[in-house]
């Protein structure tokens, strides 16, 4: 039966882990699914897993596991997988999920398929996984006595289980040595995030090379403030030093999921589009009607962003009677 | 100190990906090539660390003969020498890791021990999220992944990861392995003298030992749903009222 690594916070199971569970249930074809939870408040999160089809949720208990320690998490998974004769170990394709399963693959020598959107059991298993941050898919055969895979975020729906599981919660004391805990978070430095964060914003307005300069972002910033949105940018902008990398949308930047994404002076390279696949609507403003973003957006305005963006801001003000 | 950076040659795909007829690869006839932005930051960090602490840097790639271009690019930025593990096709992640481990062991036998090995957090194309971790385990070295801050002092490596509410800090003894992300630094541009020097820097070509694939690519597929019906709202500032309607529909005005 599959063993799923569950990430959680504030006593709630993370959405990405629920998606991983949904894929795991399909992969299990009727067999029950077990889960491992690590870290503070794991007990609370574990209690809700029966409804998601989990037979037994194991809660790791160890003094060294209070802060995140990827190798120790992987050792715990390895031990539990052996004890429960797991046929597969599955995690969310989150930063931690991919890191911990990477360690598990290295410890066990088993192959790992990262960021799958579908998986069929078998010898070998068949998986469909993402490449290029989601711009391309790969169908692959996954070998190994135990199948290791992670689940691409937001690709599988986190449906409730047709059949609830037994929902037992058991504590599990992994045998961890000093060396296993050598890689762990020593401290968290809080950064003060003034304003709306890019990944959570309902409105994101980005500028690309078409802005021409750092100063060229002034109308974009103004519109973002008016709409209580966040400012984003393309990589052409960050490598020119016009905006910090924390503003970059894309495969190697931030993935966004706003109600509307307004991309100004951005050509629409696949690596940029990989970051805004979660947007409900995309509006492109570009002076070139042939730019590839003009084929990948829902709406387009052909024109100079330096004229169009201020005109939109004026229209919004007018509508608000200001 | 000695630093090794691993980087993979990938096509610059532009606005649309086209596959070869056998669906095994991206059609690259009209494309340029590069390495992942993560790996570019890895190259830059290696050069900066050596500027600070002294020592030697090596760049390694497993790829086709043409990947010499990416190795020379890295050397133009200040990397001292290069290793090309020459293969015909893309290798799966476990085999790639095994080939890199084999190369590092050969380097050790020849007298070069790396204090720090830098990988990208994930390769640009395959995104397997594992080659660096597998190499670290084989060498029995600590690894910190997804790093956006690196400091080396007194044989220790302090590494910072960006998390939603701030930064998580790790500290591990050297020798160590890190996988890095774009944003770690702002890479420099190559200079003309740098490019000229790069042509003469040493490049070793080797043939790695192949293994059994654990993750076997069957074929590539383009995702459905790309190529939307785009509605053109208008041209220039006169399109603003139509944009307002869309903003209202989206519930943001
Ligand atoms: C592995 C890899 C990862 C990458 N990751 C990312 C990533 O995370 N994010 C990212 O953005 N890119 C990423 N890139 C880079 C990406 O391939 C493109 O190079 C980049 O997105 C281009 O930025 P741009 O659209 O701003 O610039 P360009 O492609 O130069 O486009 C500029 C656009 O502005 C338009 N324009 C010019 N002037 C005006 C004007 N006055 N008004 C309106 N329109 C105007 C032009 O018509 C053009 O379409 C990555 C590349 C690789 C290889
Ligand atoms: N063919 C390759 N040549 C050199 N380095 C590689 C290769 N494949 C992967 N790597 C390194 O391993 C990292 C992670 O790759 P991956 O596990 O495929 O996501 C990359 O960012 C590179 O640093």
């Amino acid at each position: 039966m599959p063993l799923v690594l569950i990430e959680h916070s504030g006593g709630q199971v993370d959405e990405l882990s629920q998606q991983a569970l949904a894929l795991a249930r399909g992969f299990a074809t009727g067999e029950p699914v077990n889960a491992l939870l690590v870290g503070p408040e794991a007990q609370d999160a574990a209690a809700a897993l029966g409804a998601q089809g989990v037979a037994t949720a194991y809660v790791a208990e160890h003094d060294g596991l209070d802060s995140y320690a990827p190798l120790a998490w992987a050792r715990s998974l390895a031990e539990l997988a052996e004890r429960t004769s797991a046929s597969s170990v599955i995690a969310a394709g989150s930063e931690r999920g991919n890191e911990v399963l990477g360690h598990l693959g290295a410890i066990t020598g088993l192959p790992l398929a990262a960021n799958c959107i579908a998986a069929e059991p078998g010898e070998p298993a068949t998986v469909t996984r993402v490449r290029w941050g989601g711009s391309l898919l790969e169908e692959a055969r996954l070998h190994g006595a135990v199948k290791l895979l992670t689940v691409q975020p937001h690709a599988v729906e986190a449906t409730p289980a047709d059949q609830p599981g037994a929902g037992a919660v058991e504590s599990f004391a992994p045998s961890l040595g000093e060396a296993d805990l050598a890689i762990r978070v020593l401290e968290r430095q809080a950064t003060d995030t003034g304003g709306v964060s890019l990944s959570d914003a309902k409105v994101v307005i980005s500028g690309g090379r078409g802005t021409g300069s750092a100063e060229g972002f002034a109308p974009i910033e103004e519109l973002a403030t008016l709409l209580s949105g966040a400012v984003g940018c393309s990589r052409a902008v960050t490598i020119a030093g016009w905006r910090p990398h924390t503003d970059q949308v894309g495969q190697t930047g931030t993935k966004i999921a706003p109600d509307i994404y307004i991309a100004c002076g951005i050509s629409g390279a696949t690596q940029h589009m990989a970051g805004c696949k979660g947007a409900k609507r995309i509006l492109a403003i570009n002076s070139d009607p042939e730019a590839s973003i003009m084929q990948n957006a829902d709406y387009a305005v052909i024109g100079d962003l330096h004229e169009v963006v201020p005109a939109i801001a004026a229209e919004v003000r007018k509508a608000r009677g200001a | 100190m000695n630093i090794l950076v691993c980087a993979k040659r990938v096509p610059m795909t532009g606005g649309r990906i086209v596959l070869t007829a056998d669906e095994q690869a991206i059609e690259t006839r009209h494309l340029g090539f590069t390495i992942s932005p993560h790996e570019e930051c890895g190259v830059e960090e290696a050069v900066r660390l050596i500027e600070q602490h002294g020592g030697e840097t090596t760049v390694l790639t497993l790829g086709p003969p043409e990947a010499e271009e990416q190795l020379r690019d890295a050397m133009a930025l200040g990397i001292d020498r290069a290793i090309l593990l020459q293969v015909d096709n893309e290798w799966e992640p476990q085999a790639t890791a095994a080939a890199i481990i084999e190369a590092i062991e050969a380097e050790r036998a020849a007298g070069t021990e790396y204090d720090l090995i830098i990988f990208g957090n994930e390769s640009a194309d395959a995104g397997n999220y594992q080659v660096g971790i597998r190499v670290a385990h084989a060498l029995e070295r600590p690894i910190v992944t997804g790093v956006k801050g690196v400091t080396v002092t007194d044989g220790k490596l302090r590494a910072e990861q960006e998390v939603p509410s701030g930064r998580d800090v790790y500290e591990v003894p050297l020798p160590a392995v890190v996988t890095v992300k774009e944003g770690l630094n702002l890479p420099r541009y190559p200079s003309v003298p740098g490019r000229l020097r790069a042509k003469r820097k040493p490049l070793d070509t080797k043939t790695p030992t192949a293994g059994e694939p654990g993750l076997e690519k069957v074929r590539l597929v383009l995702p459905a749903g790309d190529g939307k019906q785009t509605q053109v709202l208008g041209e220039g500032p006169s399109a603003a009222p139509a944009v307002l309607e869309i903003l209202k529909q989206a519930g943001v005005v």
Side-chain angles (χ1 to χ4, degrees):
Chain A
M1 61 179 79
L3 173 61
V4 182
L5 175 66
I6 298 291
E7 293 177 71
H8 55 92
S9 57
Q12 303 282 327
V13 175
D14 286 359
E15 197 189 340
L16 301 189
S17 289
Q18 296 183 32
Q19 295 166 5
L21 262 176
L23 183 131
R25 286 196 308 265
F27 194 65
T29 54
E31 264 190 317
V33 174
N34 290 327
L36 173 67
L37 297 88
V38 190
E41 299 171 303
Q43 206 79 35
D44 296 341
L49 285 170
Q52 309 231 22
V54 170
T56 307
Y58 294 88
V59 174
E61 310 276 2
H62 193 284
D63 291 345
L65 290 173
D66 290 343
S67 66
Y68 177 56
L71 175 56
W73 284 36
R75 292 249 184 248
S76 307
L77 263 180
E79 190 180 329
L80 188 59
E82 189 161 317
R83 199 213 277 183
T84 60
S85 310
S87 53
S88 59
V89 182
I90 298 175
S94 59
E95 317 232 332
R96 288 185 173 183
N98 278 328
E99 179 175 38
V100 172
L101 260 64
H103 276 286
L104 183 60
I107 291 169
T108 57
L110 289 166
L112 159 67
N115 296 329
C116 298
I117 63 167
E120 290 288 330
E123 293 302 337
T126 14
V127 300
T128 304
R129 55 180 302 276
V130 311
R131 287 181 160 244
W132 287 101
S135 306
L136 185 60
L137 301 175
E138 169 188 357
E139 291 174 4
R141 294 192 192 98
L142 174 61
H143 297 265
V146 180
K147 307 293 181 291
L148 307 187
L149 55 103
T150 66
V151 181
Q152 167 74 358
H154 307 296
V156 177
E157 209 183 329
T159 47
D162 299 336
Q163 291 275 318
V169 177
E170 261 184 49
S171 61
F172 160 63
S175 27
L176 299 171
E178 222 16 68
D180 301 323
L181 292 158
I183 314 169
R184 69 170 194 280
V185 176
L186 295 183
E187 53 171 305
R188 160 126 347 147
Q189 292 180 340
T191 40
D192 144 55
T193 46
V196 195
S197 93
L198 200 52
S199 50
D200 299 333
K202 294 279 171 228
V203 183
V204 176
I205 310 175
S206 283
R209 200 194 304 275
T211 56
S213 64
E215 296 71 41
F217 272 82
I220 290 172
E221 278 178 341
E222 189 203 354
L223 184 58
T225 308
L226 260 180
L227 299 175
S228 309
V231 174
C233 69
S234 71
R235 179 162 188 258
V237 166
T238 47
I239 57 179
W242 301 343
R243 305 282 306 182
H245 181 265
T246 43
D247 283 359
Q248 182 175 312
V249 171
Q251 186 181 332
T252 52
T254 301
K255 313 264 185 305
I256 58 169
D259 290 336
I260 185 159
Y261 179 48
I262 308 181
C264 313
I266 291 177
S267 63
T270 50
Q271 298 86 14
H272 184 81
M273 301 314 283
C276 59
K277 283 196 191 307
K280 291 214 183 83
R281 300 169 185 79
I282 301 176
L283 163 65
I285 302 174
N286 200 302
S287 48
D288 175 8
E290 301 300 317
S292 65
I293 196 162
M294 302 303 242
Q295 274 78 57
N296 289 312
D298 302 287
Y299 308 101
V301 174
I302 301 160
D304 184 344
L305 72 94
H306 301 288
E307 294 169 8
V308 177
V309 176
I312 297 170
E315 204 66 29
V316 171
R317 278 204 204 85
K318 205 165 77 188
R320 287 183 177 153
Chain B
M1 77 195 262
N2 289 320
I3 305 180
L4 175 70
V5 189
C6 295
K8 181 179 186 184
R9 172 183 166 93
V10 297
M12 282 191 276
T13 54
R16 202 167 73 91
I17 293 176
V18 179
L19 299 179
T20 55
D22 65 0
E23 300 176 312
Q24 292 300 304
I26 291 177
E27 177 55 73
T28 56
R29 248 176 307 171
H30 306 291
L31 301 180
F33 287 82
T34 183
I35 61 174
S36 161
H38 297 327
E39 295 154 18
E40 284 181 13
C41 287
V43 167
E44 174 66 28
E45 200 65 21
V47 173
R48 287 188 193 184
L49 284 168
I50 292 307
E51 284 168 352
Q52 262 176 43
H53 301 278
E56 195 190 50
T57 50
T58 308
V59 59
L60 176 151
T61 197
L62 176 136
E66 296 80 9
E68 177 174 349
E69 180 191 358
Q70 281 59 50
L71 297 174
R72 298 278 174 211
D73 285 350
M75 290 193 284
L77 296 171
I79 299 284
D80 298 307
R81 62 189 191 91
I83 300 171
L84 171 61
L85 305 178
Q86 196 174 311
V87 296
D88 300 330
N89 298 310
E90 182 183 35
W91 279 23
E92 61 94 71
Q94 255 178 310
T96 303
I100 294 174
I101 294 157
E102 184 183 52
I104 292 170
E105 275 161 2
E107 287 284 295
R108 178 186 289 158
T112 303
E113 186 79 65
Y114 294 108
D115 304 290
L116 181 62
I117 307 176
I118 304 179
F119 291 88
N121 187 61
E122 81 275 6
S123 54
D125 56 349
N128 292 308
Y129 288 82
Q130 57 189 267
V131 169
I133 303 176
R134 289 189 188 274
V135 172
H137 274 258
L139 300 173
E140 296 180 1
R141 293 183 181 184
I143 174 162
V144 187
T145 71
V147 162
K148 285 201 179 176
V150 171
T151 331
V152 170
T153 33
D154 306 327
K156 276 192 298 219
L157 176 104
R158 187 187 151 94
E160 294 172 18
Q161 259 173 4
E162 217 160 69
V163 290
S165 51
R167 285 189 163 219
D168 277 350
V169 182
Y170 297 76
E171 204 173 78
V172 293
L174 291 176
V177 181
V178 285
T179 81
V180 302
K181 279 194 178 178
E182 189 180 22
L184 170 65
N185 54 45
L186 189 58
R188 69 195 70 189
Y189 288 99
S191 64
V192 174
R195 287 217 170 273
L196 292 175
R197 269 197 300 278
K199 285 191 182 152
R200 294 187 304 269
K201 288 184 178 174
L203 187 156
D204 274 341
T205 303
K206 299 180 174 191
T207 309
T209 315
E212 282 292 303
L215 179 66
E216 235 182 308
K217 176 168 73 190
V218 178
R219 65 180 190 123
L220 301 178
V221 187
L222 290 169
D226 284 7
K228 297 184 183 177
Q229 275 298 354
T230 307
Q231 184 188 341
V232 178
L233 299 176
E235 288 195 24
S238 65
V243 172
L244 180 67
E245 285 314 306
I246 302 300
L247 294 175
K248 283 183 180 164
Q249 276 174 30
V252 300
V253 172

